[in-house]
Amino acid sequence: DGDFREDLYYRLHVVVIELPALRERAGDIPLLLDHFLRVFNEENERTIKGFSPDALDLLQSYDWPGNVRELRNVVEQMVVLSRGQRIGVR
């Protein structure tokens, strides 16, 4: 729209950070799950303790085409809808 100087992109484009898709770094999924679980427990005043081993396996085997944003949304849904102390496959 002409709101920025023409050279702004090139001034900001100094360092390129390449981050593989979430499906290529399944080892990050448990860390992200724990983080999102803490965030959504607090936001929703819940006390869910974690994920069952089967749920963790299922979440790590999914391709996550929406990457971290999709994972975040799924964890939020699970926290809101969960009735137990652990999130299971069901």
Side-chain angles (χ1 to χ4, degrees), residues 27 30-31 37 43 57 62-63 72 88:
L31 299 170
L37 182 62
E43 282 183 14
D57 288 343
Y62 182 65
D63 279 341
R72 180 184 187 279

Side-chain angles (χ1 to χ4, degrees), residues 27-76:
D28 291 351
I29 292 174
L31 299 170
L32 291 166
L33 289 171
D34 288 343
H35 169 72
F36 292 138
L37 182 62
R38 279 193 308 276
V39 168
F40 294 123
N41 265 338
E42 185 176 322
E43 282 183 14
N44 295 283
E45 298 179 0
R46 303 295 308 269
T47 57
I48 297 169
K49 303 294 184 207
F51 299 84
S52 74
D54 290 342
L56 187 57
D57 288 343
L58 183 65
L59 292 165
Q60 284 186 282
S61 68
Y62 182 65
D63 279 341
W64 299 107
N67 283 307
V68 176
R69 184 174 296 147
E70 181 182 10
L71 178 64
R72 180 184 187 279
N73 290 340
V74 167
V75 174
E76 183 175 20

